[in-house]
Amino acid sequence: MKLLLSALLVVVTAGSAIAQDIIREEIRRGPVPGSEDMEVIVTRLSVPVGATIPLHTHPGDEYAVVVTPTKAQAPNGNIVEFAIGTPLFFPEGQVHGGLTNVGEAPMIAITTHVVRKGAPLIMLAGQ
């Protein structure tokens, strides 16, 4: 199932892609063994060139692996390069995102979230 993040993404600066183009495609969802209130959600995240991932948090931990090489610009202006296989980890409540894809192709990552069932997967930072 494809879930457009349009409910939580904002339009970025002129000349950039509309953030609604960011697609999070759910690959699998299932319960965490031995837990009544946690689930695992695996997705394929696609961030087009020019799109910005908003600053956000999750109601649990996020693990990700970059599957396409790209470059992103951080909010402070620094350029960060992501090689194929770059692992990422964001513990529950850690604000992350704010990166704009400045590479030559969409940035694709496989994400795994271990989160509380029923909670919104993504919460914008500062809200």
Side-chain angles (χ1 to χ4, degrees), residues 61-83:
D61 296 340
E62 176 183 11
Y63 304 84
V65 176
V66 176
V67 297
T68 58
T70 196
K71 293 187 281 189
Q73 185 171 19
N76 64 6
N78 289 340
I79 301 298
V80 180
E81 293 195 35
F82 293 94

Side-chain angles (χ1 to χ4, degrees), residues 1 6 9 17 21 42-43 50 70 73 75 80-81 87 97 108 117 120 125:
M1 161 191 348
S6 60
L9 298 176
D21 291 341
V42 178
T43 67
T70 196
Q73 185 171 19
V80 180
E81 293 195 35
I108 308 294
K117 288 181 187 177

Side-chain angles (χ1 to χ4, degrees), residues 49-60:
V49 173
T52 300
I53 301 169
L55 291 171
H56 65 282
T57 63
H58 303 283

Side-chain angles (χ1 to χ4, degrees), residues 86-112:
T86 300
L88 304 168
F89 171 68
F90 306 103
E92 179 174 6
Q94 179 180 345
V95 175
H96 59 284
L99 298 174
T100 300
N101 181 354
V102 293
E104 297 179 7
M107 178 183 184
I108 308 294
I110 302 300
T111 67
T112 301

Side-chain angles (χ1 to χ4, degrees), residues 6-28:
S6 60
L8 65 97
L9 298 176
V10 296
V11 176
V12 293
T13 58
S16 296
I18 296 175
Q20 283 85 346
D21 291 341
I22 295 174
I23 297 173
R24 184 178 299 275
E25 179 182 359
E26 189 171 303
I27 297 169
R28 186 173 191 128

